[in-house]
Amino acid sequence: MNVVEIVFSPTGGTEKVAHIISGHWKESVVKIDLSDYKTDFAKCKIEKEDMVLIAMPSFGGRAPAVAIERLKQMTGNGAKCTLVCVYGNRAYEDTLVEMEDAAKECGFQVVAAIAAVAEHSIMPQYASNRPDESDKKQLIHFADQIAGKDGEVVSIPGNRPYKKAGGAGLVPKPTKNCVKCGMCVERCPVQAINSTGYTTDSKKCISCMRCVNQCPEKARKVNGAMVSIAALAMKKACSIRKENELFL
Ligand SMILES: Cc1cc2nc3c(=O)[nH]c(=O)nc-3n(C[C@H](O)[C@H](O)[C@H](O)COP(=O)(O)O)c2cc1C
């Protein structure tokens, strides 16, 4: 039996949460990276006996479309799976139900779902440094409860039809510090960055912040004024600590 982690995590928060859970189940975990556009996901093998974790961040209360599209290329073979949606302390809305529908369509047996909190990847003042020690304890407790679980998850919160998906509208740009190393071009999950001017195709960009987060020269930026306005508008919703939730 393998523990298989199928993860979309542009800036690493989702992966941190996923690994606390799957790493508790088994020391060595097989990882399938949904942010890697070079992978042929149809060829990724899942066995019925595998224990699978599917983890994605919430973007505007929805699952990232590209992550769902890549997941849907896979075949679940009836393997038990746990869904993990990771959000930045505002709300996850329809993310988990969208993930549930996609996982079932692939042929996974969904046994549990978790909504967990990690630092907001656009506004790191919200949920900063999460998952923290208290989150880790809680997630490990969830992992133990899930390990003994048999049968489908009873009810996952969210609406069908899902809320309308809307982009964050924040398109990162290179600054004068850009040394054209190519890392952002290579790592952008949706190939939105052009390899000569390092400009971003705003139609392809999903505002996931990976290029901003991973640039070794810290040479990619989004419009600071727009982020400040969004942060102010979301202050009330984001400021009070939300706890992780388990659905069995
Ligand atoms: C485009 C975008 C939209 C987001 N929308 C939400 C949201 O609706 N609710 C929320 O609580 N957090 C939201 N966040 C925060 C992320 O869900 C959170 O930071 C998550 O941990 C990011 O995952 P990653 O670190 O694996 O990339 C959003 C982040 C981005 C980049």
Side-chain angles (χ1 to χ4, degrees):
M1 185 273 288
N2 283 320
V3 169
V4 184
E5 220 181 72
I6 305 172
V7 180
F8 185 77
S9 183
T11 70
T14 306
E15 184 168 20
K16 254 188 221 165
V17 169
H19 211 71
I20 293 169
I21 302 161
S22 59
H24 185 67
W25 287 334
K26 201 170 174 176
E27 220 167 276
S28 68
V29 171
V30 178
K31 194 178 154 189
I32 298 173
D33 180 3
L34 292 175
S35 72
D36 185 0
Y37 59 86
K38 294 185 284 306
T39 303
D40 182 353
F41 295 98
K43 286 200 178 129
C44 297
K45 282 257 167 302
I46 305 288
E47 308 289 344
K48 187 170 174 21
E49 301 69 35
D50 291 343
M51 197 157 166
V52 179
L53 191 98
I54 302 174
M56 295 180 191
S58 178
F59 283 0
R62 294 279 306 270
V66 65
I68 291 288
E69 189 191 296
R70 290 175 186 167
L71 173 67
K72 281 186 179 172
Q73 293 169 27
M74 300 182 59
T75 305
N77 280 324
K80 286 184 185 163
C81 96
T82 296
L83 307 173
V84 181
C85 119
V86 178
Y87 69 110
N89 205 52
R90 185 190 68 80
Y92 58 90
E93 292 156 320
D94 304 335
T95 313
L96 275 178
V97 283
E98 194 175 2
M99 290 172 71
E100 180 185 22
D101 293 343
K104 284 185 172 167
E105 199 180 309
C106 297
F108 288 101
Q109 187 200 354
V110 181
V111 295
I114 290 172
V117 179
E119 185 165 292
H120 201 295
S121 49
I122 304 177
M123 294 160 256
Q125 65 269 44
Y126 299 131
S128 48
N129 298 316
R130 291 185 74 183
D132 57 18
E133 283 308 312
S134 159
D135 292 316
K136 276 184 204 159
K137 272 193 205 143
Q138 206 168 33
L139 293 169
I140 284 171
H141 183 54
F142 290 174
D144 282 331
Q145 287 172 271
I146 296 165
K149 167 100 198 289
D150 222 354
E152 299 231 350
V153 64
V154 178
S155 135
I156 291 178
N159 301 296
R160 293 181 183 88
Y162 321 128
K163 70 174 284 198
K164 198 170 169 289
L170 293 165
V171 178
K173 289 195 176 100
T175 67
K176 60 177 179 6
N177 297 335
C178 174
V179 296
K180 300 195 172 4
C181 70
M183 190 184 276
C184 59
V185 177
E186 173 69 17
R187 300 219 177 141
C188 171
V190 292
Q191 293 179 278
I193 303 170
N194 116 2
S195 61
T196 47
Y198 290 75
T199 51
T200 313
D201 181 338
S202 60
K203 287 202 188 84
K204 286 188 186 168
C205 176
I206 57 168
S207 305
C208 72
M209 301 297 131
R210 171 170 271 187
C211 60
V212 175
N213 179 272
Q214 298 202 351
C215 173
E217 306 297 326
K218 307 233 171 305
R220 292 189 68 82
K221 295 267 180 290
V222 285
N223 184 321
M226 269 177 78
V227 175
S228 300
I229 293 166
L232 201 61
M234 282 163 42
K235 193 169 178 188
K236 199 166 167 218
C238 290
S239 296
I240 296 166
R241 181 183 173 103
K242 301 198 172 80
E243 293 303 331
N244 308 302
E245 298 168 88
L246 170 66
F247 306 96
L248 285 174

